[in-house]
Amino acid sequence: MSPGEDLPRERRSLGTTRMEAFSDGVFSIAATLLVLDIAIHPPGTALEQVLKAWPFYFAYVVSFLTIGAAWLGHTQLTEGLTRTDPLLLRINLLVLLVVAFLPFPTKLVADALHSNTNERVFVTMYGLTLLAIRVLGFALDAYARRERLSSPPEAGEAQQDEPLELLPVLGGYLVAILIGLVAPRVAVALYFAVAIYMILFEALPRHRSRAHGART
Amino acid sequence: MSPGEDLPRERRSLGTTRMEAFSDGVFSIAATLLVLDIAIHPPGTALEQVLKAWPFYFAYVVSFLTIGAAWLGHTQLTEGLTRTDPLLLRINLLVLLVVAFLPFPTKLVADALHSNTNERVFVTMYGLTLLAIRVLGFALDAYARRERLSSPPEAGEAQQDEPLELLPVLGGYLVAILIGLVAPRVAVALYFAVAIYMILFEALPRHRSRAHGART
Amino acid sequence: MSPGEDLPRERRSLGTTRMEAFSDGVFSIAATLLVLDIAIHPPGTALEQVLKAWPFYFAYVVSFLTIGAAWLGHTQLTEGLTRTDPLLLRINLLVLLVVAFLPFPTKLVADALHSNTNERVFVTMYGLTLLAIRVLGFALDAYARRERLSSPPEAGEAQQDEPLELLPVLGGYLVAILIGLVAPRVAVALYFAVAIYMILFEALPRHRSRAHGART
Amino acid sequence: MSPGEDLPRERRSLGTTRMEAFSDGVFSIAATLLVLDIAIHPPGTALEQVLKAWPFYFAYVVSFLTIGAAWLGHTQLTEGLTRTDPLLLRINLLVLLVVAFLPFPTKLVADALHSNTNERVFVTMYGLTLLAIRVLGFALDAYARRERLSSPPEAGEAQQDEPLELLPVLGGYLVAILIGLVAPRVAVALYFAVAIYMILFEALPRHRSRAHGART
């Protein structure tokens, strides 16, 4: 029997609904709270202050896109989820705990880049937080797959490739963290590049081929 | 075959549900965070301080209504959406990135109007943010229409007119931004007028004629 | 034909789902942001500071319960809603605009009670905000009823009484606002009493009799 | 007749949907707002400041996990809920009122541990808040069970044990509050231990055995 098949739809979906609602809440709040840390500072004319505040805009964009990418991956995971189990909900809480923490190191990095001080320490802390989001998100995905909480892949879908997705991003983060110890600004640029990479090349839907088929 | 018809309802709606939940989260949080920037300042009696803080209330109303209008448009879009695709979710993230940014220029504009300083720069920045929300929202709508992600229009509905809706608001914003370079307060009044216009005349439901028919 | 009967369930519910999600977002965020304004101040021992901060706790409770009561009324309204229309969504935006504004006068009232200054002005402003939430909430309800957006009342339900509900609370607010001009602290106590009244005696479900019937 | 059986699914679920959405909103916002209180302070090098801020991270984790555990319990409750009633919604509002308050004592505790001052008073206040969340959450659960708002337990499920769950955590909190009067830091460690206990051993699903059955 395929997993979860004998549970009525109504009961099965309840646990996933709450998990999705709580997760969407934390993802969207963490992403939106980032704006509270954007600030401009004297001295200078208004225009100079606005332009010199670029680290705040940049950190905002990097963190927003990273949360967005984590949300896309989370969506892709829960899309196939037919039920939850106790451990899945708890791993999910850990993911959210780190995602909700991200505004703090984001603020530290922006302050550091803006004031040209303490960049090494704060950029490293930022990188470790990004790394934790990634590793925990991967653990969530791997657990759901191992426990067969998701609906089985359909014929023609290359689901086996997905676990490999951890590697490029994890590698990128590790390299960036090491580089950040000597050149913190290069590391921040790499975190931006990884966010763009995740947004562009990851979390593509499992059902893509079928969806395309449906359109033609 | 009409698009998405062969996908089971359950699977089809999952992607749109998460996209709506995350978007509703960001829209409602960005709108509600605006209140954190309202403040009163000495000198003066309590009543004078409250009255002199009008730029904060005004900026709050303009930004809240602009987010409300963007939300109405977003609702109208997703109402007809039968499925999402990877690019749609990513354009949506860009829309939300700019919507979530709005509290920052809102605060700058209120501060500038309150202190009579730096109005030109901050009002221009505010106008550019409003413009970006509009352009990205339009891109989202245009993409969904081009990719036929929405359910097809029904007989008697004038869906072709909708793409034209970009023009009055976009034009209003561009004019206001230019005016703001010499008369920032006039520009802010125009942003208010555009918000009122969007609330009153836009995002009217596609299915209005049918809904009215259902009532009689 | 009864209203909305000929629309497929799926399409009908979409508009109300987004309206509920956005509203739940604003209600819950406004209620939760109230905590950010709670603060303790020197001088005094830690215990004295905590006890002397009672106006902050009190204002928090009054505003939280008022938002809670508004949410209960909103829930009762949307529970019977079979569809939305453009004007309903716009009145709803106005309700939310004022609800999201409440943390600001709440903070002013708490500061005033804590410092024994400016109480009259800030308590009046607070009362006017509570009054606006009530009047707009009533307008939303009245409009939905007039436009028959809700499902028709069932036999044995005394739905006609509900419009009268505006009176006790509206009267309470008006009396409290007038009293607040001479005795602001009495007014704040009255706002608390009105919140308790709304929580206890209002927003009782329309389907109560039937629900009880189902249980016995 | 089993409770709620004669109500159409559609109407029954509406009340619970809004209650879940509002609750998920408050839970997720309260958890995410905790990050706003994390701060680093001079003096010291950047690394020293980051390390010396451990009380902020620790308080963040304890409060986040406590809210997470309360959310897990809430999820477990609403999972079986077939309908709401007026009193349930009001008890739920009280639960949320205290959950939304938690960021304030969390901030006080972190400040106290960081500055080595006022620990006894603030840790006690923190413990009383945690205790209130627990007691109210238990009241919510007990009321729903007494009023048979939940679906009846299925054969083979040991639902009777659940009410006992109050005891270990309640006892833990009471002991910790007393200990906190002489050794506040030990009390905070105990609050962390209770949070871990709740996450690991509580809110396990009622339908676990059946879910396991479905998989084999």
Side-chain angles (χ1 to χ4, degrees), chain C residues 34 45 63 65 96-98 101 105-106 110 115-116 126 131 175:
Chain C
L34 293 168
T45 66
S63 288
L65 291 182
L96 299 178
L97 186 147
V98 184
F101 182 73
T106 303
S115 67
N116 275 311
Y126 185 63
L131 186 72
V175 167

Side-chain angles (χ1 to χ4, degrees), chain A residues 83-164:
Chain A
R83 59 192 176 84
T84 61
D85 81 356
L87 190 48
L88 188 82
L89 290 177
R90 280 143 182 89
I91 301 175
N92 193 49
L93 276 182
L94 279 183
V95 173
L96 299 178
L97 188 147
V98 184
V99 167
F101 182 74
L102 188 59
F104 175 62
T106 303
K107 177 185 163 61
L108 293 184
V109 161
D111 280 335
L113 293 180
H114 184 260
S115 65
N116 275 313
T117 53
N118 303 324
E119 289 181 356
R120 264 195 314 155
V121 173
F122 295 153
V123 168
T124 304
M125 192 174 173
Y126 185 64
L128 291 173
T129 308
L130 298 180
L131 185 73
I133 291 174
R134 181 67 179 183
V135 169
L136 286 166
F138 179 76
L140 187 74
D141 200 59
Y143 177 76
R145 187 173 297 118
R146 204 195 54 163
E147 293 291 303
R148 298 181 185 281
L149 299 173
S150 304
S151 57
E154 315 219 349
E157 292 183 314
Q159 201 174 12
Q160 302 90 303
D161 306 6
E162 290 184 36
L164 294 180

Side-chain angles (χ1 to χ4, degrees), chain A residues 9-140:
Chain A
R9 165 77 189 161
E10 166 196 326
R11 177 139 301 157
R12 254 192 294 152
S13 63
L14 281 171
T16 59
T17 302
R18 289 296 300 267
M19 175 178 155
E20 287 176 18
F22 186 72
S23 304
D24 280 334
V26 172
F27 278 119
S28 57
I29 299 157
T32 316
L33 285 185
L34 292 168
V35 76
L36 296 183
D37 294 327
I38 302 178
I40 59 168
H41 299 282
T45 66
L47 187 60
E48 284 168 1
Q49 289 180 36
V50 165
L51 295 177
K52 272 169 50 191
W54 67 264
F56 291 95
Y57 316 135
F58 189 64
Y60 171 80
V61 169
V62 176
S63 288
F64 196 100
L65 291 182
T66 302
I67 292 177
W71 175 79
L72 284 172
H74 199 271
T75 300
Q76 188 193 11
L77 168 67
T78 62
E79 192 173 343
L81 217 61
T82 48
R83 59 192 176 84
T84 61
D85 81 356
L87 190 48
L88 188 82
L89 290 177
R90 280 143 182 89
I91 301 175
N92 193 49
L93 276 182
L94 279 183
V95 173
L96 299 178
L97 188 147
V98 184
V99 167
F101 182 74
L102 188 59
F104 175 62
T106 303
K107 177 185 163 61
L108 293 184
V109 161
D111 280 335
L113 293 180
H114 184 260
S115 65
N116 275 313
T117 53
N118 303 324
E119 289 181 356
R120 264 195 314 155
V121 173
F122 295 153
V123 168
T124 304
M125 192 174 173
Y126 185 64
L128 291 173
T129 308
L130 298 180
L131 185 73
I133 291 174
R134 181 67 179 183
V135 169
L136 286 166
F138 179 76
L140 187 74

Side-chain angles (χ1 to χ4, degrees), chain A residues 119-121 123-128 131 170-188 190-191:
Chain A
E119 289 181 356
R120 264 195 314 155
V121 173
V123 168
T124 304
M125 192 174 173
Y126 185 64
L128 291 173
L131 185 73
L170 193 73
Y173 280 150
L174 289 173
V175 167
I177 290 171
L178 290 176
I179 288 178
L181 294 176
V182 289
R185 290 183 176 223
V186 176
V188 177
L190 283 173
Y191 295 135

Side-chain angles (χ1 to χ4, degrees), chain B residues 116-143:
Chain B
N116 275 312
T117 52
N118 303 325
E119 290 181 356
R120 264 195 315 155
V121 172
F122 295 153
V123 168
T124 303
M125 193 175 173
Y126 185 63
L128 291 173
T129 308
L130 298 181
L131 186 73
I133 291 174
R134 181 68 179 184
V135 169
L136 286 167
F138 178 75
L140 188 74
D141 200 59
Y143 178 77

Side-chain angles (χ1 to χ4, degrees), chain B residues 120-203:
Chain B
R120 264 195 315 155
V121 172
F122 295 153
V123 168
T124 303
M125 193 175 173
Y126 185 63
L128 291 173
T129 308
L130 298 181
L131 186 73
I133 291 174
R134 181 68 179 184
V135 169
L136 286 167
F138 178 75
L140 188 74
D141 200 59
Y143 178 77
R145 187 172 298 119
R146 205 194 54 163
E147 293 292 302
R148 298 181 186 282
L149 299 174
S150 303
S151 56
E154 314 219 349
E157 291 183 316
Q159 201 175 12
Q160 303 89 306
D161 306 6
E162 290 183 38
L164 295 180
E165 278 177 4
L166 177 67
L167 287 183
V169 169
L170 193 73
Y173 280 150
L174 289 173
V175 167
I177 289 171
L178 290 175
I179 290 178
L181 295 176
V182 289
R185 289 183 178 224
V186 176
V188 177
L190 284 173
Y191 295 135
F192 179 58
V194 172
I196 296 289
Y197 170 85
M198 290 190 293
I199 292 282
L200 291 186
F201 299 113
E202 287 198 342

